[in-house]
Amino acid sequence: MDQKKIAILTGGGDCPGLNAAIRGVTRRLLSKNYTVLGLLDGWAGLLEKRFVELNYATTSGIIHVGGTILRTSRTNVLKDQETIDTAFKNFKELGLDGIVAIGGEGTLTVSAKLFEKGMPLIGIPKTIDNDIDQTDFTFGFATAVEIATEAIDRLHTTAESHNRVMVVEVMGRHAGWIATYSGIAGGADVVVIPEKPRSIEEICKIINARKDRGKRFSIVVVAEGAKILVNGKATGISKERKDPFGRPLLGGIGQFLADEIEKVTGFESRVTVLGHVQRGGTPVSSDRVLATNFGITAGDMVLNNQWGMMPALKGAVMKPVLLSDATVKLKTVPERYLEILQSLEG
Ligand code: F6P
């Protein structure tokens, strides 16, 4: 019998835990005598036939390392028919039996579409934003929350010393999971997330109410994709530059909020934009375990020919779900968390 050959790729934004997932898939398949390739720079590796062999040696000593040993990109493999044809041609020429694509919303949606076109693919959900539907959590999220929480803790003491409002801008394009979790854990006074646009007046009312109670500082956490209500209209802040999928680059809402809060409340305000610090560096242990679980489960799914699917964490167990189901919508922060945040405000 021919030895089976699988390729792994990482696409979209990186996150802590990717290497643990790559290692998990590889080791599961090596134990069943598969050949495992790592495509370099996401889908670009398939389009340009650039890869490395993944074996015990190349996946050794990487579980604690951030980023991805395969590197990543936002290459649009569905750009046009010629690009799609190249992907299928190279899949065949490389002698592949399937691909395990580790990625977020973009990569998983592309994987679902390529699967529909006939390519055997299994997805693994990853993103610090934790917004992939069907799975309770994605790896990278816990590390990002840890980093944001530590930042909020540190900002508390300087905010209090100077009687200032500190605005912390965290990642979260469509969903405010990082802002919600770090806001709760760090004891933020106001949390602004994409799920609930808020007005400057409403935010300042909370800060002023704190002042009335003798608190002369406040911490505001805002997700970069959050929207502010101006004259009843929800407005976000983004840059003109777009990524290869046409999504505007975010960032800037923190500064906007700090300026407006200072104008309305008179409190001197400062902004801290955490940015890619949340995505870089070593994964916390729970992300290493979760990513390994995703990787090993995806390896099992390859062995069971469960193509067109991805493992999803449901409670404490991994269950295979259809990529086409998991990519219909994003998993946003539910009402219950909005209630929790509201109860804690001020
Ligand atoms: O990984 C998702 C994310 O963290 C989003 O919250 C953010 O908008 C995006 O990545 C930014 O990624 P990049 O700077 O790599 O384009």
Side-chain angles (χ1 to χ4, degrees):
M1 202 178 75
D2 278 351
Q3 198 179 25
K4 299 248 180 161
K5 198 193 270 182
I6 293 293
I8 303 173
L9 66 85
T10 50
D14 72 336
C15 78
L18 283 169
N19 288 329
I22 293 166
R23 176 176 174 269
V25 182
T26 304
R27 301 236 166 155
R28 184 71 189 110
L29 295 176
L30 289 179
S31 73
K32 293 291 174 186
N33 209 25
Y34 275 56
T35 297
V36 187
L37 304 183
L39 294 168
L40 297 172
D41 300 302
W43 297 108
L46 180 63
L47 296 175
E48 295 156 19
K49 288 205 270 188
R50 288 187 292 109
F51 61 89
V52 289
E53 194 184 327
L54 293 173
N55 51 38
Y56 284 99
T58 51
T59 58
S60 176
I62 62 169
I63 192 163
H64 60 286
V65 182
T68 159
I69 57 165
L70 300 177
R71 302 194 299 274
T72 184
S73 71
R74 290 208 169 89
T75 306
N76 187 356
V77 73
L78 298 176
K79 196 170 79 179
D80 49 32
Q81 195 52 47
E82 199 187 333
T83 313
I84 297 171
D85 290 345
T86 306
F88 274 88
K89 180 171 79 63
N90 292 352
F91 181 91
K92 212 166 158 210
E93 285 179 9
L94 289 171
L96 297 176
D97 293 290
I99 290 180
V100 175
I102 312 176
E105 176 206 358
T107 306
L108 296 174
T109 304
V110 164
S111 301
K113 295 205 171 121
L114 282 176
F115 171 72
E116 275 165 28
K117 293 178 188 297
M119 192 178 286
L121 272 153
I122 284 169
I124 295 184
K126 68 85 224 176
T127 165
I128 64 164
D129 289 1
N130 194 38
D131 59 358
I132 303 298
D133 200 26
Q134 304 272 343
T135 184
D136 292 351
F137 289 101
T138 49
F139 57 86
F141 172 61
T143 306
V145 169
E146 213 51 48
I147 292 163
T149 303
E150 196 203 328
I152 296 169
D153 287 348
R154 288 178 182 279
L155 289 168
H156 256 104
T157 56
T158 170
E160 190 159 13
S161 305
H162 286 266
N163 300 326
R164 281 175 175 163
V165 173
M166 291 291 190
V167 178
V168 193
E169 182 181 301
V170 299
M171 280 192 171
R173 176 174 284 274
H174 303 288
W177 286 104
I178 299 175
T180 301
Y181 267 55
S182 64
I184 293 172
D189 304 298
V190 187
V191 176
V192 191
I193 59 175
E195 289 81 347
K196 192 183 175 202
R198 311 186 76 169
S199 67
I200 297 293
E201 294 71 38
E202 194 187 340
I203 295 166
C204 292
K205 212 169 138 193
I206 299 165
I207 294 167
N208 282 331
R210 277 174 59 75
K211 186 172 143 199
D212 294 343
R213 292 201 313 276
K215 292 281 184 185
R216 299 182 50 75
F217 74 97
S218 290
I219 305 283
V220 178
V221 178
V222 60
E224 60 178 2
K227 293 187 167 57
I228 302 300
L229 281 175
V230 183
N231 297 328
K233 200 171 152 252
T235 314
I237 295 198
S238 59
K239 304 192 169 67
E240 278 193 15
R241 266 176 65 206
K242 299 205 164 70
D243 73 14
F245 287 92
R247 302 182 313 176
L249 300 189
L250 296 175
I253 192 147
Q255 187 63 61
F256 172 78
L257 264 187
D259 292 345
E260 294 300 309
I261 289 170
E262 185 164 308
K263 266 192 242 160
V264 176
T265 64
F267 274 116
E268 201 182 358
S269 304
R270 293 285 189 269
V271 62
T272 301
V273 180
L274 292 183
H276 295 80
V277 168
Q278 296 159 96
R279 276 197 351 215
T282 190
V284 296
S285 56
S286 64
D287 270 340
R288 299 182 201 187
V289 175
L290 182 61
T292 301
N293 196 353
F294 268 114
I296 301 273
T297 309
D300 286 337
M301 289 166 63
V302 168
L303 300 174
N304 296 328
N305 289 308
Q306 290 170 296
W307 306 110
M309 305 191 89
M310 69 167 207
L313 185 72
K314 310 256 187 204
V317 267
M318 286 286 177
K319 295 227 166 96
V321 298
L322 289 172
L323 280 171
S324 53
D325 285 346
T327 50
V328 175
K329 59 178 174 62
L330 289 169
K331 182 188 67 192
T332 49
V333 175
E335 192 57 37
R336 179 63 188 144
Y337 272 106
L338 298 178
E339 288 164 9
I340 292 173
L341 287 173
Q342 204 182 354
S343 314
L344 294 169
E345 255 162 19

